[in-house]
């Protein structure tokens, strides 16, 4: 299957919302806030990189990157997520391509690295690693993952952009 990856355009916003809702619907790790978080990141000016994947002009995937902090002093770090792919097109390399392109863009921007909460078995293929001195709320340390673009990885509590905390559990 042939797909294209490009930066989000204004007219993509509803399609991004729709594909994100569909991708996370019914997943045990999802809480239904994934699509609204993207809208909040955009509204707050924190959607640093927003990439879409399209097939024949239709949006079928999305990846968001936004500012993140480690402890009180670490800057120039970014959080990855949400990442979504239409359910009928998952496991075909679309999500992987979106992530790789976003990480390449962060590198070009001289970012210190990227953080995420997710499945170590999936994200290790991109170089992310957990159990590395980072924490996030009460999550298992292996789920709190980092990919440092330089040689140093600070330790401490991870904090994502404010949009991630607006919807409370």
């Amino acid at each position: 299957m042939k797909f294209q990856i490009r930066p989000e355009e204004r007219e993509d916003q509803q399609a991004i919302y729709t594909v994100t809702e569909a991708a996370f619907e019914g997943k045990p790790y999802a809480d239904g806030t994934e699509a609204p978080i993207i809208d909040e990141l955009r509204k707050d000016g924190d959607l640093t990189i927003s990439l879409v994947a399209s097939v024949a002009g239709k949006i079928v995937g999305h990846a968001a990157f936004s500012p993140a902090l480690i402890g009180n002093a670490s800057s120039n770090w970014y959080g990855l997520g949400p990442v979504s792919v239409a359910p009928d097109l998952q496991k075909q390399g679309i999500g992987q391509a979106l992530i790789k392109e976003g990480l390449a863009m962060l590198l070009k921007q001289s970012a210190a690295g990227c953080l995420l909460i997710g499945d170590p078995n999936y994200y290790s293929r991109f170089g992310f690693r957990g159990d590395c001195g980072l924490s996030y709320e009460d999550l298992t340390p292996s789920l709190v993952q980092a990919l440092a673009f330089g040689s140093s990885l600070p330790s401490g509590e991870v904090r994502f952009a404010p949009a991630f905390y607006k919807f409370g559990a």
Side-chain angles (χ1 to χ4, degrees):
M1 175 197 31
K2 195 171 194 168
F3 57 88
Q4 291 184 311
I5 294 180
R6 62 169 173 76
E8 165 189 317
E9 296 173 0
R10 186 165 177 72
E11 60 270 12
D12 298 331
Q13 292 177 15
Q14 183 57 51
I16 291 167
Y17 195 98
T18 301
V19 77
T20 302
E21 274 190 323
F24 283 94
E25 184 177 2
K27 301 287 193 248
Y29 50 81
D31 63 6
T33 63
E34 295 80 12
I37 284 171
I38 296 167
D39 283 349
E40 285 295 311
L41 287 168
R42 190 182 295 113
K43 187 177 104 188
D44 293 347
D46 285 336
L47 193 54
T48 306
I49 296 173
S50 180
L51 297 173
V52 296
S54 64
V55 173
K58 180 182 178 190
I59 304 298
V60 298
H62 178 259
F65 294 81
S66 56
L69 295 171
I70 301 172
N72 294 324
S74 299
S75 61
N76 209 20
W77 282 83
Y78 293 86
L80 167 58
V83 176
S84 55
V85 176
D88 59 328
L89 296 175
Q90 292 176 1
K91 300 188 188 302
Q92 296 187 40
I94 295 171
Q96 185 171 333
L98 285 162
I99 292 166
K100 284 182 177 180
E101 179 66 21
L103 292 173
M105 291 173 76
L106 286 176
L107 265 169
K108 286 180 189 173
Q109 294 177 12
S110 300
C114 190
L115 306 165
L116 63 82
I117 306 298
D119 179 359
N121 294 319
Y122 181 78
Y123 289 102
S124 63
R125 72 184 72 188
F126 305 102
F128 285 92
R129 61 186 184 92
D131 290 317
C132 55
L134 299 175
S135 62
Y136 183 77
E137 298 178 352
D138 61 351
L139 289 181
T140 304
S142 64
L143 299 176
V144 186
Q145 298 177 61
L147 173 60
F149 297 144
S151 58
S152 66
L153 172 62
S155 61
E157 178 77 16
V158 171
R159 183 112 178 115
F160 294 101
F164 287 91
Y165 306 96
K166 289 186 178 177
F167 299 96

